[in-house]
Amino acid sequence: MRIIKTLFVFVVVMVLGLAVTISVFGQSDAPVSRAGFVSMLFETAGEPAVNNAAPFVDVPAGASYSGAVSWAAQYNIVTGVGGGIFSPENAVTREQAAVMMLNYARYQGSGPVGAWAVRLDYADLTDISEWAFQGVMYAKIHGLLPEKQGNLFDPKGNMTRAEAEAALEKLSEATAPSALAEKAFTYFLEVSKVPRVSGNMQGISDFFKAFGEERSLETIQDEWLNILIKKPGSPGRENEPPVILQAHMDMVGEKNQGTPHDFLKDPIIPIIDGDWVTANGTTLGADNGAGLAMIMAILDSDSLSHPPIEALLTADEETTMIGALEFDVSLLTGRRLINLDNMEEGHFVVSCASTNRVELHIPIETMPLPDGFTTYELSIKGLNGGHSGVDIHKGLANANILMERLLGEFGNIPLFVSSIDGGSAHNAIPRECTAVLSIDNLDLNAVRAIIEQTEILFKSEFPLDVNLTVNFAEIQAAQYVMTVASFKKVSEGITRMPNGVLSMSPDIEGLVQTSNNLGVIATGGDTVMLVGFVRSSSLEERSQTLEAITALAYDLGARLEVAAGNLPWPYRADSPLRDTMVELFTQTFNREPVIVAIHAGLECAAFAHNMPDCDMIAIGPDIRREHTPDERMSLSSFYRTTDFVVRVLQTL
């Protein structure tokens, strides 16, 4: 619809996003190129990760500005000049820059949406291009591009570097995070102080119990250490249907070898590095500390407009999901649930897989180490690891599987194995594995040659694991070793245990349907334990996988334990909550969210089983490398997601 160039009245603009200080060098009166201005916007955004190529034929992949242009195109900040052309070297005009800044503000969640307008009375009003009118209005609102002498906007004039620097400084102020989003990050820092690795729930549960009670909110702590905090609706909204905000309290405890961190008593110290928040050699706990912090800020707000809120904080999601599975849903009156445990902004999860944790306890016999053998520690380290659901299809190496393959390469060389230990969590792809073995020193050179050749082979097979290393060092002589027959059983167990992607979905392109992750190998006493995590969106295939593991246990004379799992979360065609949030997201960020089903397990599956009439969706900020010590969270995405949740509550 044509915008009438006359008197407009501005309705509303919300101020959200992230403030960043920029530093750009060059002559102040020199024109800025289109690529240069996009690069400045990219720097203002904190140079977020870029995963796609620029869609313009005149933006070469190796150009210094290609990443910035790719980012801007991905988020609809730029669309080019037509015909797949971006014209990177052309000077950016004032009206082009105004449109880019409006789109940037929408990317940050603060650009005006819906019915809005502002009065423009420039003498050259008719020279403004039709497509640029909203951008010029936004620039007028925030004083981004002051008028020139003679009451001119000069829409076709080139933007100078001085103008660009001044405009972006004001744009940063206009898109600064809301007070509630900043408070949420403060609460993220508070949550990080409380040790909360899975299985160690008492402290964090008591923390949230006190949090609710200190604010005189109805607070329930159940026998599973789940916490339910109920907050009445804001004035005038007390009688609306409640909304359930849900997150889990526990985190995966993974750390780099040599990192002196005790997850049972030491706090996590978040480190801000540009736009990313990380930890020092350990998992960060943004999964799901980000969701916890958002909920805390909302519960603590006295000014937010919202319906009644039921904040459900669950225990031990990362291991058994026992908190969600055993929670008494009769305590909930809401039938709209927003889960805050997703890890990709703009992706709305609406379905997930079932899960089962399995333990295979293989009995072993030991004997004294024979004379003439020297003991060595063989270790595989430096792998990326990752989430056993989200990352299982990415071609990442599993250290436990590689260790079994390496030991198999020794062929007929006599050796005795004392132990194999790898991985630390069933739902994390193992990054390290260590075996203690003893060999005759006459075979030492042959063993070293095999290790060297196999390391080269592994690196070529798994190019994503760039830091993969195989270490071999003499240690104190072992007293006892596995018998040859026992080690043969252990080797067979590792080899035959289903691992990795087992099938792909026939209905959803690119979605893993069934997988298993051999996450842990642990030697202790008279057993070697293999721990797997089966995921499937097909109940039939899940049963088939568990049957295969059961048959393996029978053949090995092993004891099998299968933890109670959850059913899959089926897709719901009729979802008013999803429809509302999709519309609001599109209006807010000027792009549509991606509706996805995931191979990971979410607590929504348990709630879908126990509350089949509940309308649910899962969202969250950008979190990368979760379940590894390289876990990091985008701070600007955290702010945007927090403020989006606020908008949802205001709108519902």
Side-chain angles (χ1 to χ4, degrees), residues 33-36 58-60 65 69 85-91:
S33 69
R34 287 169 53 82
D58 57 347
V59 178
Y65 52 79
V69 175
I85 302 296
F86 181 67
S87 297
E89 302 303 329
N90 287 357

Side-chain angles (χ1 to χ4, degrees), residues 84-301:
I85 302 296
F86 181 67
S87 297
E89 302 303 329
N90 287 357
V92 64
T93 66
R94 284 166 57 90
E95 66 178 6
Q96 288 173 350
V99 171
M100 292 181 194
M101 288 189 285
L102 169 60
N103 291 339
Y104 174 86
R106 287 173 171 166
Y107 157 75
Q108 292 286 19
S110 67
V113 297
W116 68 282
V118 67
R119 176 178 179 174
L120 296 180
D121 55 1
Y122 297 118
D124 55 354
L125 190 67
T126 57
D127 294 338
I128 300 173
S129 300
E130 187 72 30
W131 50 263
F133 228 73
Q134 282 199 342
V136 175
M137 287 192 291
Y138 182 75
K140 175 77 171 181
I141 295 168
H142 294 288
L144 303 180
L145 292 170
E147 64 186 46
K148 294 189 174 183
Q149 188 174 2
N151 192 32
L152 300 176
F153 180 73
D154 190 19
K156 305 298 190 293
N158 297 335
M159 174 181 252
T160 67
R161 186 163 298 279
E163 287 177 327
E165 292 178 353
L168 292 184
E169 183 175 353
K170 292 179 180 178
L171 183 65
S172 294
E173 296 174 358
T175 57
S178 71
L180 190 140
E182 290 184 321
K183 177 178 283 188
F185 187 68
T186 299
Y187 279 130
F188 178 79
L189 300 178
E190 289 299 309
V191 168
S192 299
K193 295 177 183 178
V194 185
R196 54 192 173 89
V197 70
S198 302
N200 184 39
M201 291 287 94
Q202 189 69 58
I204 190 66
S205 181
D206 291 345
F207 171 85
F208 279 109
K209 183 174 184 289
F211 178 87
E213 292 175 344
E214 287 168 2
R215 287 153 182 80
S216 300
L217 300 175
E218 180 183 355
T219 303
I220 300 171
Q221 182 183 53
D222 69 12
E223 62 179 303
W224 305 99
L225 299 179
N226 295 310
I227 295 291
L228 175 62
I229 303 175
K230 295 187 177 184
K231 183 181 182 183
S234 55
R237 304 188 65 182
E238 298 91 342
N239 297 321
E240 294 182 12
V243 173
I244 304 167
L245 299 179
Q246 191 265 319
H248 64 82
M249 295 181 288
D250 61 319
M251 63 174 282
V252 170
E254 282 273 301
K255 63 180 180 179
N256 290 324
Q257 189 173 39
T259 298
H261 185 92
D262 186 343
F263 284 104
L264 296 180
K265 63 180 182 181
D266 294 340
I268 301 292
I269 308 298
I271 301 169
I272 301 175
D273 183 8
D275 186 49
W276 294 102
V277 185
T278 63
N280 185 22
T282 72
T283 38
L284 173 64
D287 173 16
N288 190 215
L292 295 173
M294 293 176 194
I295 292 173
M296 292 174 73
I298 290 167
L299 292 175
D300 195 42
S301 174

Side-chain angles (χ1 to χ4, degrees), residues 194-466:
V194 185
R196 54 192 173 89
V197 70
S198 302
N200 184 39
M201 291 287 94
Q202 189 69 58
I204 190 66
S205 181
D206 291 345
F207 171 85
F208 279 109
K209 183 174 184 289
F211 178 87
E213 292 175 344
E214 287 168 2
R215 287 153 182 80
S216 300
L217 300 175
E218 180 183 355
T219 303
I220 300 171
Q221 182 183 53
D222 69 12
E223 62 179 303
W224 305 99
L225 299 179
N226 295 310
I227 295 291
L228 175 62
I229 303 175
K230 295 187 177 184
K231 183 181 182 183
S234 55
R237 304 188 65 182
E238 298 91 342
N239 297 321
E240 294 182 12
V243 173
I244 304 167
L245 299 179
Q246 191 265 319
H248 64 82
M249 295 181 288
D250 61 319
M251 63 174 282
V252 170
E254 282 273 301
K255 63 180 180 179
N256 290 324
Q257 189 173 39
T259 298
H261 185 92
D262 186 343
F263 284 104
L264 296 180
K265 63 180 182 181
D266 294 340
I268 301 292
I269 308 298
I271 301 169
I272 301 175
D273 183 8
D275 186 49
W276 294 102
V277 185
T278 63
N280 185 22
T282 72
T283 38
L284 173 64
D287 173 16
N288 190 215
L292 295 173
M294 293 176 194
I295 292 173
M296 292 174 73
I298 290 167
L299 292 175
D300 195 42
S301 174
D302 294 327
S303 59
L304 174 63
S305 172
H306 60 79
I309 292 171
E310 298 177 328
L312 177 55
L313 315 177
T314 49
D316 290 321
E317 185 268 354
E318 298 289 5
T319 50
T320 61
M321 289 198 186
I322 192 68
L325 289 167
E326 296 295 337
F327 180 75
D328 181 3
V329 297
S330 68
L331 297 172
L332 299 170
T333 56
R335 286 302 180 265
R336 297 177 295 177
L337 185 150
I338 301 174
N339 171 284
L340 296 170
D341 190 22
N342 190 33
M343 283 158 277
E344 189 159 9
E345 183 186 0
H347 283 221
F348 289 3
V349 180
V350 295
S351 176
C352 73
S354 64
T355 59
N356 280 100
R357 185 177 189 270
V358 297
E359 292 184 4
L360 194 66
H361 298 263
I362 304 172
I364 59 172
E365 295 180 352
T366 61
M367 66 180 194
L369 176 66
D371 294 335
F373 284 78
T374 303
T375 303
Y376 294 85
E377 182 179 83
L378 178 65
S379 60
I380 297 175
K381 299 180 179 180
L383 278 62
N384 288 323
H387 190 291
S388 69
V390 175
D391 300 320
I392 198 72
H393 64 293
K394 294 182 179 178
L396 300 169
N398 179 315
N400 292 339
I401 300 299
L402 295 192
M403 180 60 74
E404 166 53 28
R405 286 181 54 187
L406 177 54
L407 293 174
E409 291 294 327
F410 295 141
N412 294 323
I413 296 177
L415 60 83
F416 293 95
V417 175
S418 299
S419 63
I420 303 179
D421 295 279
S424 60
H426 66 281
N427 55 357
I429 300 172
R431 299 177 298 107
E432 300 178 355
C433 186
T434 299
V436 174
L437 66 156
S438 301
I439 63 173
D440 189 325
N441 278 341
L442 295 176
D443 296 316
L444 181 58
N445 289 337
V447 167
R448 290 190 184 279
I450 291 170
I451 291 173
E452 182 178 344
Q453 294 167 5
T454 306
E455 181 179 18
I456 294 172
L457 175 64
F458 287 165
K459 288 182 176 180
S460 66
E461 284 187 33
F462 301 98
L464 297 178
D465 292 280
V466 295

